[in-house]
Amino acid sequence: MSLLNALKNGKVLRTLDHALAQSLRRLRPDTPDVVLAAAALASLAVSEGHAGLDLRQPQRLIEAETDWPTPEEWERTLRASPWVDEPAATDPAADRPLVLEGGLLYLRRYREYERRLADGLQRIATHPLAQDDPAALAALFAQLFPQAREGSDHQARAAAVALRHPLVLVTGGPGTGKTTTITRLLVLLAAQAVQAGQSLPRVALAAPTGRAAERMAESLRSAVQRLRLLGIAPDLCDAMPGTGTTLHRLLGVIPDSPRFRHHADNPLPFDVVVVDEASMIDLPLMTKLVEAVATGARLVLLGDPDQLPSVEAGDVLSAILRASGDGRGTQADDAQALQRLLAPATLQPLAPATRFGGRRVQLQRGYRQTTALDLAPLAHAVRDGDSAAALALLRADSLAGVHFHENQIDPLQQHREHLLSHWRGLGEVANPAEALANAGRIRLLTAVREGPQGARGLNARIEALLAGVPRPGMAPGYFHGRLLLITENSYRHRLFNGDIGICLAEPHGAVTAWFPGETPDQPRGFHPGALPAHESAFAMTVHKAQGSEFDEVWLQLPRRDNRVLSRELVYTGMTRARQALHVLGSAEVLQAALARHASRISGLAARLSGSPAADHPAAEPTQGQLW
């Protein structure tokens, strides 16, 4: 049996993947079967989040036993095919839909995204910044970072590095102070402009989802208030941005077009672009963002590399971090960037830049840990894949706010009244603003979307418990207290994928769907029938919850192991909690999850570092600390 037929009969290919192979066969009947199979697998790879097919490990895509060609044999056949291009420094041929490069087989579009993104990042990273006078900022820097002289203030190092480099990645887990660091960096940049007699820098705050952008803006406003209390000049505090936006709104959506208003020929009108939750950004969107950043502008990416990668193709943040290395090659440079501000008189020449000009600073200390929730030890064990330590911590019941409901697979049985009492209470408030504030207190998170333990199945059961089962043929009603999750962007409504709202009944019986407005006390109301695509939000997948936080999280693991499970998924779900975390599932499923990485196949790290792809594992997890 041919490889393509074996994949089709094994039901591992989507209809679209098989249709691509069949199209190539119709156009050239002599196309070898392994080329057709490779084309189908390259298409499948994109659907599963990879940039391309790694010929050395096709089993990453499917678990079925298959008689694969050897990588060498496969590559020889692909090189001889008129469907496959092998570009050197030139663009691939437009009439060849497949590109073979660095041991990876790409759909042409995704190879181009990778190439353009690598070029764009290098353009930003290598553009020289204006020479500054470190002595002019020394006093303000000491005021912003009073503990910097002790040598262990990673936030101070991050700010010092960002002043010296136009492309910086600030990474760290929840509560490590990424937004606080960026706020103080922006104050330093504003002061630098004032002292140079220039206009204040134009700053954009953005994130992949509306909720993440809102959270970022809220955190920045709080950080600015703390700076005022420290005595930072009011004019510098007033210069800080107060609102955030989604990446799509920042770039400017053109209806019915994959293009944006802002691009390389019409760049964004900002001097500094700060993007939070960078791990959620897929390859195409990151490419378009980077190309829209003006030459000479700064790009600051914030993110947690231990979280889930983007739903769509690519794991851009991890690839950039791999290209940045482990930090040993740039520590002297970055430490001196800090020394320039602490003791300008001891200034020495800076070390030369590495092949990839971007800089990374990892923030380590967790600031969100409270007496209510001691999550750090468990999060570290999950991040490291140490299932023995994670289970020991969960079973010991010694972490404040962390609860393990071992072998429980249905939260709506054992914990029904606790959960239902919260959801019923959402409608028992004085106004929509209060209802929306309360809506974020509890969330049921799942690993899967379908099935009885999936978000859809749980939501259907919760709707029935709260509002009764609808008559056959009728869609569930918009009952009082129903939580809604927007699942597609609507720029006409200013509602975006991931936004959460609540239905409240008026005294005369009509139901209005309320969503957050420009400020927390000004929610916006919509007729439910006018909303873009949406679903209930009592239960959500962990992917959908990325970028959000909830006071109390109930993380439901599936009954049996599932390919979607990974340590990144468990880590992301757990770290959505602010005050309490409940984990439901078996030890066996948790062990299987922590043994699996949600890694992606990509050639981006190799492109950025300038080394052959073979020297860079296509999807090696990013771990280790820079400092």
Side-chain angles (χ1 to χ4, degrees), residues 561-580:
D561 185 25
N562 188 299
R563 285 190 67 186
V564 75
L565 286 173
S566 65
R567 66 183 67 171
E568 289 82 4
L569 184 142
V570 176
Y571 173 88
T572 302
M574 288 179 170
T575 54
R576 300 309 90 203
R578 282 188 294 238
Q579 297 180 10

Side-chain angles (χ1 to χ4, degrees), residues 249-574:
R249 291 184 68 184
L250 176 71
L251 294 172
V253 168
I254 300 175
D256 302 318
S257 171
R259 301 179 181 275
F260 292 103
R261 288 199 305 273
H262 291 289
H263 43 75
D265 295 326
N266 181 31
L268 291 164
F270 297 103
D271 305 301
V272 185
V273 178
V274 181
V275 182
D276 198 9
E277 298 290 353
S279 63
M280 298 173 62
I281 306 174
D282 59 48
L283 176 60
L285 183 57
M286 184 67 87
T287 301
K288 294 171 185 178
L289 167 67
V290 166
E291 289 183 335
V293 174
T295 298
R298 299 172 185 265
L299 176 61
V300 182
L301 300 175
L302 314 180
D304 185 347
D306 298 309
Q307 284 192 30
L308 280 168
S310 61
V311 176
E312 304 299 332
D315 187 0
V316 176
L317 180 64
S318 290
I320 298 174
L321 296 182
R322 288 202 300 277
S324 301
D326 60 9
R328 287 190 290 268
T330 58
Q331 280 188 16
D333 181 15
D334 295 346
Q336 194 167 72
L338 178 61
Q339 188 66 17
R340 285 169 59 87
L341 294 161
L342 296 177
T346 64
L347 189 62
Q348 299 292 329
L350 287 172
T354 59
R355 173 66 176 81
F356 175 52
R359 289 292 188 271
R360 172 205 182 181
V361 177
Q362 171 83 10
L363 303 180
Q364 294 177 322
R365 180 184 172 191
Y367 293 88
R368 190 179 299 161
Q369 181 174 314
T370 66
T371 55
L373 179 62
D374 181 10
L375 191 58
L378 179 60
H380 290 158
V382 170
R383 182 196 66 191
D384 296 338
D386 190 343
S387 58
L391 282 169
L393 289 167
L394 287 168
R395 286 169 169 162
D397 196 26
S398 59
L399 300 179
V402 178
H403 311 278
F404 185 34
H405 308 282
E406 190 166 1
N407 296 323
Q408 292 187 16
I409 58 173
D410 189 350
L412 297 181
Q413 286 187 359
Q414 293 91 340
H415 310 283
R416 176 184 298 184
E417 287 310 311
H418 172 73
L419 295 169
L420 290 181
S421 63
H422 165 73
W423 291 323
R424 290 191 180 110
L426 292 178
E428 300 173 2
V429 295
N431 56 66
E434 186 178 349
L436 285 170
N438 292 342
R441 292 186 176 174
I442 291 182
R443 192 68 83 245
L444 179 55
L445 301 184
T446 69
V448 295
R449 178 176 174 80
E450 306 296 341
Q453 293 173 303
R456 276 191 172 177
L458 289 169
N459 275 323
R461 292 172 59 198
I462 295 166
E463 291 170 12
L465 290 168
L466 293 176
V469 180
R471 295 192 301 274
M474 291 184 61
Y478 296 96
F479 55 86
H480 187 68
R482 182 187 178 191
L483 290 179
L484 298 178
L485 173 70
I486 299 298
T487 58
E488 71 176 16
N489 294 331
S490 173
Y491 292 87
R492 180 168 62 91
H493 296 86
R494 289 184 296 120
L495 292 172
F496 303 96
N497 187 6
D499 286 355
I500 293 177
I502 186 170
C503 291
L504 297 177
E506 305 293 340
H508 52 79
V511 173
T512 301
W514 294 93
F515 286 84
E518 295 297 329
T519 60
D521 60 342
Q522 293 181 320
R524 297 176 296 139
F526 299 87
H527 188 284
L531 293 174
H534 57 278
E535 58 191 31
S536 286
F538 302 105
M540 299 168 59
T541 63
V542 173
H543 269 106
K544 285 290 187 183
Q546 245 180 309
S548 299
E549 293 177 345
F550 311 99
D551 290 347
E552 186 175 319
V553 165
W554 290 71
L555 178 59
Q556 172 66 64
L557 299 178
R559 184 191 303 266
R560 289 179 291 274
D561 185 25
N562 188 299
R563 285 190 67 186
V564 75
L565 286 173
S566 65
R567 66 183 67 171
E568 289 82 4
L569 184 142
V570 176
Y571 173 88
T572 302
M574 288 179 170

Side-chain angles (χ1 to χ4, degrees), residues 1-15:
M1 182 184 297
S2 72
L3 178 57
L4 180 62
N5 285 338
L7 295 173
K8 179 187 177 184
N9 294 341
K11 298 183 178 180
V12 298
L13 297 178
R14 301 174 303 157
T15 301

Side-chain angles (χ1 to χ4, degrees), residues 3-273:
L3 178 57
L4 180 62
N5 285 338
L7 295 173
K8 179 187 177 184
N9 294 341
K11 298 183 178 180
V12 298
L13 297 178
R14 301 174 303 157
T15 301
L16 180 63
D17 308 326
H18 190 256
L20 171 62
Q22 292 297 86
S23 296
L24 300 184
R25 189 201 299 273
R26 282 194 299 272
L27 292 169
R28 286 184 178 270
D30 60 343
T31 301
D33 176 76
V34 292
V35 174
L36 299 175
L41 289 171
S43 174
L44 177 65
V46 170
S47 74
E48 296 198 2
H50 305 291
L53 167 67
D54 188 347
L55 300 176
R56 296 159 294 188
Q57 44 182 347
Q59 63 275 10
R60 288 278 302 275
L61 294 179
I62 60 175
E63 295 179 343
E65 291 293 331
T66 305
D67 186 15
W68 299 108
T70 66
E72 296 77 16
E73 174 191 351
W74 216 345
E75 283 201 28
R76 281 196 302 270
T77 308
L78 287 167
R79 287 195 185 101
S81 172
W83 294 124
V84 181
D85 195 21
E86 282 192 281
T90 59
D91 293 341
D95 60 346
R96 298 190 179 193
L98 304 174
V99 180
L100 181 62
E101 190 174 24
L104 302 183
L105 183 69
Y106 297 90
L107 297 181
R108 182 169 64 89
R109 177 185 301 177
Y110 285 86
R111 185 269 181 183
E112 280 300 281
Y113 281 137
E114 264 198 7
R115 181 191 63 80
R116 288 162 49 193
L117 177 55
D119 290 348
L121 288 170
Q122 291 285 28
R123 171 182 61 85
I124 295 170
T126 57
H127 193 275
L129 296 174
Q131 293 296 315
D132 63 326
D133 178 7
L137 293 177
L140 177 60
F141 191 88
Q143 188 179 6
L144 291 169
F145 301 101
Q147 297 180 340
R149 292 186 181 277
E150 298 176 7
S152 60
D153 191 335
H154 300 140
Q155 294 186 356
R157 290 197 179 197
V161 168
L163 282 172
R164 295 292 302 162
H165 299 284
L167 175 60
V168 175
L169 294 85
V170 180
T171 59
T176 50
K178 295 187 290 292
T179 307
T180 299
T181 302
I182 294 308
T183 305
R184 300 183 182 204
L185 164 66
L186 295 178
V187 168
L188 288 167
L189 291 175
Q192 189 178 62
V194 169
Q195 290 168 359
Q198 301 170 348
S199 58
L200 292 171
R202 297 163 296 175
V203 180
L205 303 179
T209 67
R211 180 55 189 147
E214 180 184 338
R215 275 186 50 223
M216 183 187 189
E218 289 173 355
S219 297
L220 191 139
R221 289 193 294 266
S222 298
V224 169
Q225 291 302 318
R226 292 193 293 272
L227 293 181
R228 293 183 189 276
L229 295 177
L230 285 176
I232 301 301
D235 58 332
L236 296 180
C237 293
D238 293 342
M240 297 300 98
T243 60
T245 183
T246 65
L247 288 174
H248 285 81
R249 291 184 68 184
L250 176 71
L251 294 172
V253 168
I254 300 175
D256 302 318
S257 171
R259 301 179 181 275
F260 292 103
R261 288 199 305 273
H262 291 289
H263 43 75
D265 295 326
N266 181 31
L268 291 164
F270 297 103
D271 305 301
V272 185
V273 178

